[in-house]
Amino acid sequence: TMRFLILFACLAVSLYPCNCRESCVEYDDATSPKNYVIDLGKPPEKRWSEVANDYKEDIKNITEIVANLLWHSQRSPIVEYALGFKEEYMRRMITELLPYPYGQELIGISDASGVSIGSLFLYNIIYELTSYNQTFLTMCTSVVARNKEGVVFHARNLDYGKGTEFTDALRHAVINVDFQLDGKTHFIGTTFPGLVGLLTGQRPNKYTITLNQRFKGDFWMTALEALRTGAYAMVFLTIRDVIANPIMDFNAAVERLTTTPLIAPCYLTVGGIKQHEGAIITRDRRAAKAVRWLGINGEDPWYLLVTNYDHWDPVPEDDDRRGPAIEAMNELGEEGVSVDGLFHVLSVVPVLNPSTVYTTAMSAQDSELYTSWARWYDGPVPTGGGDTCQVQVKDCSGA
């Protein structure tokens, strides 16, 4: 196991030019993911059987793309080792390496889909494997905001794959998962078949969490932290652990996400059920670098927003999603904060871009509002000075 950890530790969009123009974005341009119930009362090996059976071809396709991209972009030996070990050894190793019940769930997914454990393992640790460079150029946007009534909403775009076949493969496989016990919802999320962790999720009447990638550090920092912390510090699994915890409130969730050692740096956005419960955590590997909070007693800031760059630094000229998103939020105003309002903010190009896989909008106060859409934008985006070349969303209904 230690040898495998060492090997794991040693792994290590283009934007299309256009002129400023209006963009017509409707709900009809987005598709609703399929919904699944994950029964936590079942043995871990059986929980994902329906999903894995329904999406076995998608899981096979996505894991093949992941392995090929990792190999060709980084020439990492982890791909060869993960896929080359005997399946029996990999199954034993995965239950030792991953905390319960995640290794057992992956074994069940492997049994139902026919995809090897090694392939699934690479897929599930993709964030850690690509966190210190921009090979996959994850360009997410998250926003947490309070409306005039004091209700906190939380929304995100998940962008991945540089608008390539990987992006399309993920779009086809977006699913909503409702984790239940004894017929009662415990937590919900939006994910992809074959993953057991979460990037987007909600604990009803408690809090919501989204993950954005943070490109900091280097090969050796990632390697040393993997050796120091092991697989317990994988970001996807940490998020699921927090969302699955039945006794945490917003403050406890933020504390856990702020202090838990992680293999890779990231941004974590958290929304709660009180009007001041909103935070964006800028994470280093050992602890938080910074935490921003919504204002208390109705004071500013009424919203917080993050893309993939530290808020104290300027964004690159060729990837300014922050400026257009801030402009759209200011135009929306507190009175416009809702699922629909945040959907439209996240539909402003280049916040919406060819890498956008899905959009989720939610509020911990009302789990019925939780909504996700697979996004299919494949048009151009402004380049350079995105804050002055904003593409506006308009009503296309003809009404």
Side-chain angles (χ1 to χ4, degrees), residues 31-33 55 58 62 158 160 162-175 192 352-358 373-379:
T31 56
S32 298
Y55 285 90
D58 296 272
I62 291 171
L158 185 134
Y160 216 84
K162 300 195 292 187
T164 63
E165 64 171 343
F166 190 26
T167 306
D168 283 340
L170 293 173
R171 286 167 170 163
H172 282 285
V174 179
I175 58 172
F192 307 102
L352 177 71
N353 60 76
S355 294
T356 304
V357 176
Y358 70 77
W373 305 263
R375 308 304 298 271
W376 300 89
Y377 181 79
D378 61 358

Side-chain angles (χ1 to χ4, degrees), residues 139-313:
M139 303 194 308
C140 301
T141 301
S142 289
V143 59
V144 59
R146 176 184 63 236
N147 68 13
K148 284 290 190 181
E149 288 71 44
V151 179
V152 174
F153 285 82
H154 184 171
R156 66 93 44 80
N157 276 356
L158 185 134
D159 308 344
Y160 216 84
K162 300 195 292 187
T164 63
E165 64 171 343
F166 190 26
T167 306
D168 283 340
L170 293 173
R171 286 167 170 163
H172 282 285
V174 179
I175 58 172
N176 290 324
V177 284
D178 182 345
F179 293 85
Q180 296 186 3
L181 185 63
D182 297 327
K184 179 182 178 182
T185 295
H186 278 235
F187 57 101
I188 54 182
T190 300
T191 188
F192 307 102
L195 289 183
V196 295
L198 289 173
L199 298 81
T200 304
Q202 173 177 290
R203 184 88 191 179
N205 301 310
K206 291 291 187 70
Y207 43 82
T208 54
I209 304 174
T210 59
L211 167 72
N212 288 34
Q213 193 151 7
R214 183 173 185 242
F215 302 106
K216 293 290 182 181
D218 55 28
F219 168 85
W220 292 111
M221 291 175 66
T222 300
L224 289 172
E225 200 63 24
L227 286 172
R228 192 182 76 86
T229 61
Y232 285 83
M234 290 166 56
V235 178
F236 292 180
L237 300 188
T238 298
I239 293 173
R240 179 172 160 184
D241 278 347
V242 172
I243 293 177
N245 192 304
I247 62 173
M248 282 187 179
D249 60 8
F250 170 83
N251 291 324
V254 172
E255 175 69 16
R256 170 80 180 275
L257 295 171
T258 300
T259 59
T260 298
L262 299 173
I263 293 173
C266 61
Y267 302 100
L268 295 162
T269 302
V270 190
I273 59 174
K274 299 177 181 178
Q275 64 173 349
H276 64 278
E277 290 186 341
I280 292 181
I281 306 165
T282 301
R283 275 301 309 256
D284 283 339
R285 290 171 170 82
R286 300 293 179 90
K289 176 77 171 179
V291 182
R292 291 183 287 157
W293 304 88
L294 287 180
I296 62 173
N297 299 322
E299 298 177 354
D300 288 339
W302 58 271
Y303 75 87
L304 301 168
L305 186 146
V306 65
T307 56
N308 302 98
Y309 308 102
D310 294 343
H311 66 275
W312 55 86
D313 287 334

Side-chain angles (χ1 to χ4, degrees), residues 23 49 60 63 82 129 238 293 332 393:
S23 176
S49 295
K60 179 180 179 181
T63 53
L129 301 185
T238 298
W293 304 88
L332 181 71
V393 175

Side-chain angles (χ1 to χ4, degrees), residues 16-78:
Y16 301 94
C18 71
N19 296 322
C20 297
R21 64 179 180 85
E22 285 190 329
S23 176
C24 187
V25 181
E26 301 175 275
Y27 282 98
D28 288 345
D29 296 329
T31 56
S32 298
K34 192 171 181 180
N35 300 312
Y36 286 90
V37 171
I38 305 301
D39 186 351
L40 298 173
K42 290 183 177 180
E45 295 84 357
K46 301 296 183 182
R47 293 173 182 172
W48 297 91
S49 295
E50 182 182 5
V51 173
N53 275 309
D54 289 352
Y55 285 90
K56 60 177 59 179
E57 292 303 318
D58 296 272
I59 296 172
K60 179 180 179 181
N61 183 36
I62 291 171
T63 53
E64 287 178 353
I65 292 172
V66 168
N68 287 333
L69 287 174
L70 287 173
W71 177 249
H72 290 297
S73 65
Q74 301 179 4
R75 298 291 179 184
S76 172
I78 193 173

Side-chain angles (χ1 to χ4, degrees), residues 3 44 66 81 83 90 113 152 162 174 180 212 269 277-278 284 331 338 345 349 360 362 364 389:
R3 181 182 178 186
V66 168
Y81 280 98
L83 302 182
M90 285 297 298
S113 67
V152 174
K162 300 195 292 187
V174 179
Q180 296 186 3
N212 288 34
T269 302
E277 290 186 341
D284 283 339
E331 183 177 343
S338 64
V345 168
V349 178
T360 297
M362 53 191 167
C389 187

